[in-house]
Amino acid sequence: TAADQFRSRSCITIIRCYSPYVTSEVGVVSSLRSAVGTIAKDLAPTHSNCLEVYQCISLQDKKFDCIRALEAMSKNPSLWNAIASCLPLIAAYIDSIQSSLVDSDIARSSICTALRIIRNVIQQPSHALSTANSRVPESLCRLITKYKIDPTNRNKAKRTEENCTMESYDNDAQVLALDVLKTVAHQSRPLKRDDSGLVRLLDCGFIDAACVMLVERGVVGCAFECFAETIVNSGLSLIQSFFCSDVEKSIGIGLVISALGKHLGFVKTLCATAVAAEENLIDESSAKSLYGSPLVFESRGTSNSYQAAETLLMCLASFYVLNPSTGDHFWKYFLKEDEKVTHAATATAACLALLSWSIERIDAACPSALQLYIRDAICDVKKKILYCICKNISSYSSPTDVASDNISLAVVNKQKILELCLEMFSIYPDLVLPVCTFLQVIHGRSPESFSDLLSTKRNLHLFLEILQFAACHEAGTSSQDEVRTLCGILLEFSRQSFGMLVTDFGMKNAAIRALVSVFNLSVRVENNSSPSCDAMCLSETPLWCLLSIAFPYAILDRIRDGSETLLASEAQLDISEGEALATAIGGPISLMIIDKLMHSVSSKMLDDGGRHNSNGNLQPLLRSPEVFLICALSSKKESLSIICQHGGLEAIMILAHEQDFNAISALLEAAKQDPRLIVESEGQNCIVDVICSLRYAEDTSHPILILCLEFLATICESSCQGRLAVANSPKVVQSINVICDLMLQILLCNNNDDEPSEHQNRTSLLTLSFSYLAALSKYNLHRKKIAENDALLEMCLGNATEEHFDIACEAVKLLASLAPTIADGYCCKCSSLNLADTFCLVMERFQFHLQDGLETCQDSATSVKCYHLLSSAISGLECVFDHIACASREALVSSASHCFETLVILVEKISRERVPVLTANAAGLLAYNLTNLFITMSRVDSWRKMLLTDSLIVPSMCRMIISYQTDLGEEKVPQAPDTLHWKATRTHCLQCISSLLCIDSSKHLFTSGLEQTTPPSSLDDVAIHGNGGGNVDRRCMRLKDVRLCEFTSAVERISLQASDAVAAVTASSILSKLA
């Protein structure tokens, strides 16, 4: 009756308002629990076919009141147990509403109310588990997958952000159902431990419901997108719950993944999500038409949900690669070779998302149950992905396909997939061949992609490991040959910057070891004539890279085409690096150079009918990396000896014969280090031939000619054997003519407006030319040949008094060597008188340079040159002594006395401070020549008188005898320089004084002026002032400064203790004459 219905609905209303606030009174709670069952029974389905319309409406309103009352009661945890037992009735109520297809506000509200009841009750895990075993999950899954009523009444006018509130969320039946399913799934672990329980849950439609919600309401652009992020989080969380740690059997994981794979829309959505990160490279319309819209995330790439989506995609790829017979529908989304270019580019981006997975990422992002599963499949997944990318790019990338180059290859570069491929070599040995194939496809379509591949330290380190792998076995296997081919490609692209990169990253030693290993392998392959030799691509490329290490900032392309060259001496290799390279490749590159030279020369001679045209056809070889390397290594004395031990000297000599600047520099370094080795190898003949080949050189400052002359000067100065070897060279006479002609050409072309560098080169060339001719003039045959050249002699006379020490010294040395021949009248144009005048002028001009550098002796090089200059002049004077003009004699004696005085002061300095050994030895030679000249003068009456009347010569000789005895003795100065010439100088002083004392008048002049007072004990307070040739104020070494008794005592000690018999006998003679 109506009254009964009123009373019933009134009671339900009272319960609905009161039940949420009931405390724990036993009686009241017990009554409410009983009421739960009574109210729930009213939700049972009824057959409405026999009812009138008004009765159906009344029944529907009553059920709506009941469901609202149950919702209120579900807010009281004390009533959850009672409500949980009634959940099947609630699920049946939901099903009845769905089956009725009634679209009304009451129907929608009733469903949402029922879902909120379930959501409240399953907060208790036991209730969630019991719910999983009931028919509730099936009803909820059907609500999501098959519900035809708009559960949210989403008309377009209300799609605003203001509607996205918690109230609207609680009135969204599908969102509530997904939330309930997520909670039930997380609490159903006991069921998932058993395969039958897992299958039951899958049959209920958990995975299907989640996939449908994610595809329809979790993507960009869906209705009520403000709920999309919540739906994505819930849906992915539900799916991940099936990969919890309890699901350890692979069969269980396979069932879950298989259920996911059936939803092609979900797979496409995952692919769309993976490529969405490349929005600047991928055509959005193409991506949407191919994959649809991506999932919605608050922070793409970093959120847990985004990682979960990528993990699911990787799980699907792993499953289908392990079950290839069922995976065609999956892989079609990654392989788009039969569609348009933009689709292929989009598919490539999806492939790269999978290819970028690493073991570390698996461990960090995947549940523990999935880690082992994906680890087992990841290698095969990457292999399949590489195949797909190669197909995509090969099908559409071509030199004329600009769109593809801008999309597919741009994606490859953007994702830095090349760097990932480098890592795959060291992690997945089975991927070697696919990776090489993939990279070669990239190289064939976009070579510039490789330009910056090794620009990071990590990539460079990986690449060096690959090089070591490429060289660890002999050629033969396909994968090994592919790796070597790839290494050749990478080295070819990176050789320009390779040296700079390894230098900046501090990896030179590792790079050298790897490149040397690859080079040695290529040498072995070529020697064995392996059929795989053509696929190596590793012949010269490692050498170019090694050259890049030695010259990290050189532009190798310009070196290769000859527009620029390298100076071997500028190689940036330390001692250990140079020695390691010389040991490893010194022998092979030497053989390479010799073989190539012989082959090139023989082929050229055949073309020219047997005539050898040097250098013309060898320029490509002279610009090859092995030539630069062997010269660079030979420029370092530490690695030069190793190169010579491995036969490299012969190769360098052959290169030097072809006028290679670096090779001649290397020979020069070898000559400085071990001239004996050069002489034994007849390297001097090679250089003499080069000089002869430069006869018609237009450049008078030719740098190669300067190097050649410096080399010959080094050999000649090293030993008598070296000088004799040069003198006996087959073309030495021809070289003399070439040098003389070039010197005259320099004299004619001398221009004060020349560049400083050009002027310096010409100065060096003149200096070395004089030195070379001076060395050869020590042999009579060559001396006469040189003396025949009147123009050369005239040039020597003019340059002997040059202010430039180097030129003057060598010119005077040459004149001194030619003096015996000129004195014999062999030369017509140059007389002995001219020569004597020149030597006297040299003495007069350069004596003050010697005095100016005495006090500090800092510029030892200049001092040594000056000593040698004056020594050569005095040596030449002895040859033409009889032809010295009377007008020049007094000036000569004065110059000689001043020079000798300076040398005596130097003897004093040797005992008080450190004097450079070279300076002391050169000064000893000058002192010896001077005193020898004094002996010659003392035998001629006119000269003897000049010696006795000069205020410096005799006192200086006396002081030399005294100073040598006290200052250069071995006991006082144990570290004194070589004293051979100084001992001879002392003996000469004794002989000269003995000669002067032979005549009574001379004896009187010698003894009458000896001071009887004590001379100065030191020369510290003596000031010597020179003004370049003017009067000099001297207060030392006068006759009055030497006591007779002191001189006599020194001579007595020499007569008794001297090891030199001549000095002892002469000293005794002086004592007898003074007596």
Side-chain angles (χ1 to χ4, degrees), residues 55-124:
Q55 291 177 326
C56 291
I57 295 174
S58 177
L59 184 61
Q60 183 181 357
D61 292 341
K62 180 182 178 181
K63 289 184 177 182
F64 181 66
D65 289 339
C66 290
I67 201 69
R68 290 178 63 196
L70 288 176
E71 180 191 11
M73 298 172 78
S74 69
K75 297 178 182 179
N76 190 334
S78 300
L79 303 177
W80 282 355
N81 290 335
I83 299 175
S85 62
C86 300
L87 289 182
L89 293 174
I90 297 176
Y93 174 67
I94 296 175
D95 289 338
S96 66
I97 296 178
Q98 293 186 76
S99 61
S100 66
L101 298 178
V102 177
D103 187 8
S104 65
D105 292 339
I106 294 178
R108 287 191 294 269
S109 178
S110 298
I111 292 175
C112 293
T113 303
L115 291 173
R116 289 196 293 270
I117 295 171
I118 301 174
R119 184 183 64 180
N120 292 339
V121 171
I122 62 174
Q123 295 182 53
Q124 187 169 327

Side-chain angles (χ1 to χ4, degrees), residues 853-908:
L854 174 65
E855 290 190 358
T856 61
C857 288
Q858 294 296 324
D859 191 3
S860 59
T862 303
S863 300
V864 170
K865 292 175 185 177
C866 190
Y867 290 136
H868 285 302
L869 172 65
L870 295 173
S871 296
S872 299
I874 295 171
S875 177
L877 276 173
E878 293 181 16
C879 298
V880 293
F881 182 77
D882 295 337
H883 301 280
I884 299 176
C886 295
S888 303
R889 293 181 178 181
E890 184 175 351
L892 174 61
V893 171
S894 175
S895 301
S897 65
H898 291 156
C899 291
F900 193 63
E901 176 196 19
T902 304
L903 296 175
V904 173
I905 297 175
L906 181 64
V907 173
E908 298 266 349

Side-chain angles (χ1 to χ4, degrees), residues 78-329:
S78 300
L79 303 177
W80 282 355
N81 290 335
I83 299 175
S85 62
C86 300
L87 289 182
L89 293 174
I90 297 176
Y93 174 67
I94 296 175
D95 289 338
S96 66
I97 296 178
Q98 293 186 76
S99 61
S100 66
L101 298 178
V102 177
D103 187 8
S104 65
D105 292 339
I106 294 178
R108 287 191 294 269
S109 178
S110 298
I111 292 175
C112 293
T113 303
L115 291 173
R116 289 196 293 270
I117 295 171
I118 301 174
R119 184 183 64 180
N120 292 339
V121 171
I122 62 174
Q123 295 182 53
Q124 187 169 327
S126 61
H127 296 161
L129 183 59
S130 62
T131 302
N133 283 314
S134 67
R135 56 178 294 189
V136 174
E138 297 179 20
S139 299
L140 300 186
C141 291
R142 281 196 299 270
L143 174 65
I144 293 176
T145 59
K146 298 181 180 181
Y147 193 28
K148 303 304 180 182
I149 302 174
D150 186 356
T152 59
N153 194 22
R154 300 187 299 263
N155 59 77
K156 295 183 179 180
K158 296 183 179 180
R159 292 182 188 179
T160 61
E161 292 296 327
E162 290 75 9
N163 292 331
C164 294
T165 61
M166 190 62 195
E167 180 180 356
S168 60
Y169 177 86
D170 284 342
N171 291 318
D172 193 321
Q174 286 184 322
V175 175
L176 288 172
L178 182 64
D179 195 12
V180 170
L181 289 175
K182 178 191 73 171
T183 305
V184 172
H186 277 280
Q187 300 297 337
S188 303
R189 290 189 177 184
L191 291 176
K192 298 173 187 174
R193 293 193 181 100
D194 182 66
D195 286 341
S196 60
L198 180 63
V199 170
R200 183 185 177 284
L201 292 176
L202 294 176
D203 290 342
C204 288
F206 278 82
I207 299 296
D208 300 334
C211 292
V212 169
M213 284 294 289
L214 288 170
V215 172
E216 294 184 355
R217 302 195 56 192
V219 296
V220 176
C222 66
F224 263 68
E225 190 175 342
C226 55
F227 290 157
E229 186 176 344
T230 302
I231 293 172
V232 168
N233 294 337
S234 298
L236 293 177
S237 177
L238 185 154
I239 296 173
Q240 275 198 314
S241 69
F242 281 84
F243 298 113
C244 62
S245 59
D246 296 319
V247 186
E248 296 179 353
K249 296 180 181 180
S250 60
I251 184 173
I253 295 176
L255 291 174
V256 177
I257 298 177
S258 178
L260 285 172
K262 294 177 182 178
H263 292 272
L264 302 184
F266 180 65
V267 175
K268 292 170 62 176
T269 300
L270 291 178
C271 293
T273 304
V275 303
E278 301 301 333
E279 55 186 7
N280 295 330
L281 295 174
I282 300 302
D283 182 68
E284 292 185 10
S285 60
S286 172
K288 190 168 184 178
S289 64
L290 184 61
Y291 295 133
S293 300
L295 294 175
V296 175
F297 296 104
E298 180 179 0
S299 54
R300 185 174 304 278
T302 58
S303 66
N304 293 333
S305 298
Y306 183 82
Q307 294 180 5
E310 288 200 325
T311 302
L312 291 178
L313 187 61
M314 189 64 188
C315 290
L316 289 167
S318 302
F319 176 78
Y320 288 116
V321 82
L322 295 176
N323 301 274
S325 60
T326 62
D328 292 341
H329 72 283

Side-chain angles (χ1 to χ4, degrees), residues 643-775:
I643 291 291
C644 294
Q645 293 172 8
H646 288 79
L649 186 59
E650 289 76 8
I652 296 173
M653 289 171 55
I654 295 176
L655 293 172
H657 191 271
E658 302 301 326
Q659 301 180 17
D660 183 70
F661 182 87
N662 288 321
I664 298 175
S665 299
L667 274 185
L668 175 59
E669 182 62 34
K672 293 177 180 179
Q673 184 173 342
D674 190 358
R676 177 188 56 81
L677 185 62
I678 297 294
V679 172
E680 291 177 355
S681 304
E682 297 185 351
Q684 69 281 353
N685 297 343
C686 168
I687 297 302
V688 171
D689 290 348
V690 174
I691 291 177
C692 295
S693 65
L694 295 173
R695 181 181 185 90
Y696 302 105
E698 297 181 359
D699 186 5
T700 55
S701 59
H702 205 299
I704 292 181
L705 183 58
I706 294 175
L707 275 181
C708 292
L709 290 173
E710 186 177 358
F711 169 85
L712 294 176
T714 302
I715 295 294
C716 293
E717 293 174 359
S718 63
S719 64
C720 295
Q721 291 82 0
R723 186 167 58 247
L724 181 60
V726 174
N728 291 333
S729 180
K731 293 186 178 181
V732 66
V733 176
Q734 184 180 350
S735 71
I736 292 174
N737 295 331
V738 172
I739 294 300
C740 292
D741 292 343
L742 287 175
M743 293 174 68
L744 294 175
Q745 186 178 354
I746 291 174
L747 183 63
L748 294 176
C749 297
N750 191 17
N751 188 356
N752 294 330
D753 296 333
D754 289 341
E755 295 291 333
S757 58
E758 186 176 354
H759 177 73
Q760 178 64 32
N761 287 341
R762 290 182 177 179
T763 300
S764 300
L765 186 58
L766 277 179
T767 302
L768 294 170
S769 299
F770 280 131
S771 177
Y772 176 58
L773 296 177

Side-chain angles (χ1 to χ4, degrees), residues 400-571:
T400 59
D401 195 344
V402 179
S404 175
D405 288 340
N406 291 339
I407 299 176
S408 297
L409 296 174
V411 173
V412 172
N413 296 334
K414 177 70 174 180
Q415 289 278 11
K416 299 188 180 300
I417 206 65
L418 301 183
E419 289 86 335
L420 294 176
C421 291
L422 292 181
E423 294 185 7
M424 292 180 199
F425 275 99
S426 57
I427 301 176
Y428 310 108
D430 294 339
L431 288 179
V432 169
L433 188 57
V435 168
C436 287
T437 303
F438 166 71
L439 290 178
Q440 289 184 50
V441 170
I442 298 296
H443 171 258
R445 296 294 184 260
S446 177
E448 63 275 7
S449 301
F450 289 76
S451 58
D452 298 327
L453 181 58
L454 304 182
S455 59
T456 64
K457 187 173 183 179
R458 169 65 177 165
N459 290 351
L460 186 59
H461 175 73
L462 291 172
F463 179 63
L464 295 181
E465 290 184 352
I466 296 173
L467 284 180
Q468 292 284 16
F469 173 81
C472 65
H473 300 292
E474 296 295 341
T477 63
S478 58
S479 61
Q480 201 80 17
D481 292 341
E482 288 284 351
V483 173
R484 290 167 186 146
T485 303
L486 174 64
C487 290
I489 293 172
L490 291 178
L491 285 174
E492 183 65 23
F493 272 93
S494 61
R495 59 183 172 81
Q496 178 59 58
S497 59
F498 190 82
M500 184 164 51
L501 290 174
V502 299
T503 301
D504 294 342
F505 293 142
M507 302 171 67
K508 290 177 69 174
N509 290 329
I512 289 174
R513 287 194 299 270
L515 292 172
V516 164
S517 300
V518 174
F519 171 73
N520 288 335
L521 173 67
S522 66
V523 172
R524 292 197 302 272
V525 171
E526 292 174 0
N527 292 339
N528 296 333
S529 300
S530 172
S532 62
C533 179
D534 295 337
M536 285 293 295
C537 298
L538 291 177
S539 54
E540 283 192 356
T541 304
L543 294 180
W544 279 111
C545 291
L546 287 172
L547 187 65
S548 177
I549 294 176
F551 301 91
Y553 302 105
I555 303 177
L556 297 185
D557 290 337
R558 296 183 182 178
I559 304 302
R560 174 181 277 182
D561 61 23
S563 58
E564 291 185 7
T565 188
L566 292 174
L567 292 179
S569 58
E570 296 178 356

